[in-house]
Amino acid sequence: MEEIGIKSKLRVQKHGEVFTPKRIVKKMLDVQEIKEACESILTTFLEPSAGEGAFLVAILERKLNIVVKNYNDDLGRFENYSLLALTSLYGIELLEDNAQTCVLNMFQVYYDIYQEQVQYHNGKLKKKVLDSAKEIISSNIRQGNFLTKQSIDGNPLVFSEWSPIKMRKTTKRIKIQRTEYTLDEIYGNEEKESGKSINKAINKTIQPYKQLDLFDLLVEDDIDSENENPKEMRYTPVNIIDVYKAEMEEADG
């Protein structure tokens, strides 16, 4: 039965929204060069019009299958490398419902495959691994306009780069350094100090600036925007299973 590629004629007329059928997604991802990229857990993908995540979900499935095949001698190693694979997938989507669905679809794929490996290893699901998966997905999938490079509130689109620190073939516990870039900075190949955060005013009672978390759309933002002494912050290197903590410190100087 043929998949329906539209939600409504109005959405097609207003936003040009048409969804790619799964069979077409598979055919495109089976092109040799793309297929090889999907089988590399570090190869980065950016979907500028992510929709509900048809391509990103399919690529994630392929990457996680490679993790199961090559990095699954114990559950801890699977957890580390599966999160590393997750850090390589980015998306931008204009419409809120699509963006939220994309995030949830990606998390569901991660959860299902993680749960399978937990059962295989006779282990337990770890909340911090799932929370770190949520942090990575919600940081990598953004609601905004790819053409204007802006989020829905008019601010620049911001993405996180997740860089493994001194990782070798034998590494089992991956340490990661998070650095934030605007989409303009990414296109300009701008180099930054590792860990740099793009943030608004921060003091001891004010939390770091964070774009819309699509896992938590209903929570009101009650952060006080008034601060006469803003401080530059940077992300500290952490184990990849602890990125959900989003640990930061004051930047030097």
Side-chain angles (χ1 to χ4, degrees):
M1 185 175 181
E2 190 70 18
E3 294 178 74
I4 298 175
I6 65 173
K7 288 185 176 180
S8 72
K9 290 183 179 180
L10 179 61
R11 287 170 71 110
V12 175
Q13 293 169 353
K14 190 173 181 180
H15 303 291
E17 178 188 69
V18 179
F19 296 99
T20 308
K22 288 183 180 180
R23 61 182 180 82
I24 301 299
V25 171
K26 182 180 185 304
K27 191 171 183 178
M28 293 175 69
L29 296 184
D30 281 341
V31 173
Q32 187 59 35
E33 293 82 357
I34 300 176
K35 183 174 183 292
E36 290 175 359
C38 292
E39 292 173 353
S40 167
I41 64 172
L42 289 176
T43 299
T44 300
F45 289 83
L46 169 63
E47 172 56 77
S49 183
E52 295 183 346
F55 282 97
L56 292 172
V57 165
I59 296 168
L60 178 58
E61 288 175 337
R62 294 183 181 211
K63 283 177 174 275
L64 291 180
N65 286 338
I66 293 300
V67 176
V68 171
K69 180 180 178 181
N70 297 332
Y71 305 97
N72 199 28
D73 42 329
D74 62 59
L75 184 58
R77 196 165 192 228
F78 171 83
E79 291 166 344
N80 278 252
Y81 281 83
S82 62
L83 289 175
L84 184 63
L86 198 55
T87 65
S88 69
L89 300 179
Y90 298 84
I92 301 168
E93 170 54 35
L94 181 63
L95 303 180
E96 181 180 294
D97 59 339
N98 287 345
Q100 187 177 19
T101 300
C102 177
V103 164
L104 295 176
N105 285 343
M106 291 185 70
F107 180 72
Q108 190 64 55
V109 166
Y110 183 86
Y111 180 90
D112 290 344
I113 294 178
Y114 178 32
Q115 187 176 49
E116 288 175 4
Q117 299 317 305
V118 166
Q119 294 172 350
Y120 174 77
H121 289 287
N122 195 28
K124 293 182 179 180
L125 285 169
K126 296 186 181 69
K127 184 177 184 298
K128 66 180 180 178
V129 172
L130 295 174
D131 285 346
S132 290
K134 289 180 180 180
E135 176 67 19
I136 292 166
I137 295 170
S138 62
S139 297
N140 285 14
I141 307 301
R142 289 307 189 189
Q143 185 186 352
N145 189 319
F146 173 73
L147 297 178
T148 65
K149 300 183 177 67
Q150 292 181 337
S151 61
I152 55 171
D153 59 5
N155 286 320
L157 280 166
V158 176
F159 290 97
S160 291
E161 177 186 57
W162 315 84
S163 301
I165 299 173
K166 297 180 180 179
M167 193 175 77
R168 301 180 177 87
K169 289 184 178 180
T170 56
T171 298
K172 288 192 174 184
R173 303 292 180 262
I174 298 170
K175 182 161 279 194
I176 209 87
Q177 175 65 74
R178 179 178 183 176
T179 307
E180 290 183 332
Y181 292 84
T182 66
L183 193 54
D184 273 324
E185 290 171 339
I186 293 170
Y187 269 87
N189 292 316
E190 183 170 328
E191 294 187 9
K192 282 188 170 182
E193 177 187 353
S194 295
K196 190 170 180 61
S197 165
I198 298 174
N199 56 282
K200 294 182 178 178
I202 299 172
N203 62 23
K204 293 184 182 301
T205 61
I206 295 178
Q207 299 301 310
Y209 165 68
K210 195 173 184 181
Q211 291 189 77
L212 178 65
D213 185 345
L214 294 168
F215 278 105
D216 203 13
L217 286 169
L218 300 180
V219 175
E220 293 291 333
D221 183 1
D222 59 357
I223 296 174
D224 182 1
S225 61
E226 295 182 2
N227 181 18
E228 296 179 356
N229 300 298
K231 299 181 184 298
E232 287 294 321
M233 303 295 289
R234 67 183 297 275
Y235 288 101
T236 58
V238 294
N239 293 328
I240 197 167
I241 62 173
D242 293 322
V243 297
Y244 73 96
K245 297 177 182 178
E247 293 181 347
M248 305 179 82
E249 64 185 9
E250 286 186 27
D252 295 334

